[in-house]
Amino acid sequence: MIQRQTTFMSRLKQCALRLLAVALISAGATTLHAQEPFKRGLEQISFIPKGQWITGVSVNYSQSNQDNYQFLIVESINADTYSFKVSPMLMYCFKDNLAAGGKFSYTRSRSRLDQGSVILDSETTYDADHLYAITSNYYGTAAFRNYISLGSSMRFGMFNEVQLELGGGQSKITNGTGDDFTGTFERNFHLNVGLTPGFVMFLSNYSAVEVNIGVLGFGYTDTKSTTDRIYVANRKTRHANFKINLFSVSFGVVFYL
């Protein structure tokens, strides 16, 4: 009886040792597996190689003239407007698919209304005449880009651009003539931080078409206005957005040298 108990205890100890060994081996294998780096399997090619210069310029101009123009409740409009914008860009690819550089923008717009009326009904009419407004702004932008190829294609790709924009300008608004003349002069300072993804399609080895759209941005504008050289006012505006801004879509032709 004593011999059977001894044999049973010996077998029980052997089973316990085997279970402990299996547990230690499993734990060791799990640790080794956890230490291995996770690889997603994405391949990134040299879409924009190191050493390339990226340059381009965009120019926008629009003009309109109205002579006795009528639309709904607006009648007898005699006015003319124009707007102009030029924006050169220069960037350098300091590492494969990574580029940094800057942009400069100048905008100018002018609106002049000689005569106009807003007629709501036979007894309610608002007249306006001799309105004049002109605005000029300058902007400097520091930009950083990260390019991403679409598979193994060297023609199509995407980029993500981070922008820091500083600028300012001035505007003048006048109304009336003679003793009824009044005017306001404004100066403004502008700061904007934005995230702008885009798509690029190469037309040749050196030229490409780009489309970008604002997604994330924070802006701050400080404006000081002086009316009739007497009344001084300050206006500060702030905005932040995290959405696709369809009004910020821009197209351009860029050269990769």
Side-chain angles (χ1 to χ4, degrees):
M1 185 69 179
I2 297 175
Q3 185 177 2
R4 291 181 179 178
Q5 292 179 354
T6 303
T7 303
F8 177 76
M9 294 298 294
S10 177
R11 291 180 179 177
L12 184 61
K13 290 181 179 179
Q14 290 178 1
C15 291
L17 291 175
R18 290 176 182 175
L19 291 175
L20 180 61
V22 171
L24 292 175
I25 293 174
S26 300
T30 302
T31 302
L32 291 176
H33 179 73
Q35 291 177 352
E36 293 180 358
F38 175 74
K39 296 182 179 180
R40 194 175 298 276
L42 298 177
E43 296 183 0
Q44 180 65 27
I45 64 175
S46 179
F47 187 68
I48 305 297
K50 176 182 178 181
Q52 277 205 322
W53 289 93
I54 306 168
T55 182
V57 60
S58 62
V59 179
N60 300 324
Y61 178 79
S62 64
Q63 182 179 5
S64 65
N65 295 280
Q66 295 82 32
D67 185 11
N68 199 26
Y69 177 75
Q70 298 183 7
F71 180 74
L72 296 179
I73 61 174
V74 179
E75 296 185 4
S76 304
I77 296 294
N78 295 312
D80 65 273
T81 64
Y82 78 82
S83 63
F84 172 77
K85 179 180 179 180
V86 57
S87 179
M89 175 189 72
L90 180 63
M91 303 183 74
Y92 178 74
C93 190
F94 61 91
K95 188 178 179 181
D96 287 354
N97 301 325
L98 296 178
K103 303 177 182 180
F104 175 79
S105 301
Y106 170 72
T107 63
R108 182 181 177 88
S109 62
R110 192 207 67 184
S111 299
R112 182 173 60 188
L113 174 65
D114 294 330
Q115 181 182 357
S117 300
V118 178
I119 301 176
L120 300 179
D121 53 44
S122 59
E123 297 180 354
T124 307
T125 302
Y126 298 96
D127 297 324
D129 55 20
H130 296 94
L131 292 176
Y132 181 85
I134 186 168
T135 302
S136 299
N137 288 300
Y138 305 85
Y139 301 102
T141 305
F144 172 79
R145 279 189 180 184
N146 177 25
Y147 286 88
I148 304 172
S149 62
L150 296 180
S152 59
S153 174
M154 295 297 293
R155 184 176 295 273
F156 301 97
M158 301 180 66
F159 64 86
N160 187 29
E161 182 174 304
V162 181
Q163 299 178 347
L164 173 61
E165 182 181 75
L166 294 173
Q170 59 187 19
S171 62
K172 181 176 67 174
I173 304 173
T174 63
N175 181 25
T177 59
D179 295 336
D180 297 329
F181 180 84
T182 181
T184 300
F185 180 79
E186 292 186 345
R187 288 187 179 274
N188 67 82
F189 168 78
H190 176 77
L191 167 66
N192 186 75
V193 179
L195 184 65
T196 307
F199 177 81
V200 56
M201 180 183 69
F202 276 87
L203 303 176
S204 66
N205 290 329
Y206 305 104
S207 62
V209 175
E210 290 185 355
V211 181
N212 57 67
I213 181 172
V215 173
L216 174 65
F218 170 79
Y220 170 78
T221 304
D222 186 0
T223 304
K224 179 181 179 181
S225 61
T226 303
T227 302
D228 298 335
R229 299 184 179 182
I230 299 175
Y231 306 102
V232 179
N234 289 278
R235 183 175 70 254
K236 297 182 180 180
T237 59
R238 302 175 180 87
H239 74 269
N241 67 285
F242 183 66
K243 62 180 180 180
I244 297 177
N245 186 4
L246 297 179
F247 294 100
S248 67
V249 178
S250 61
F251 300 82
V253 176
V254 180
F255 298 93
Y256 292 78
L257 307 177

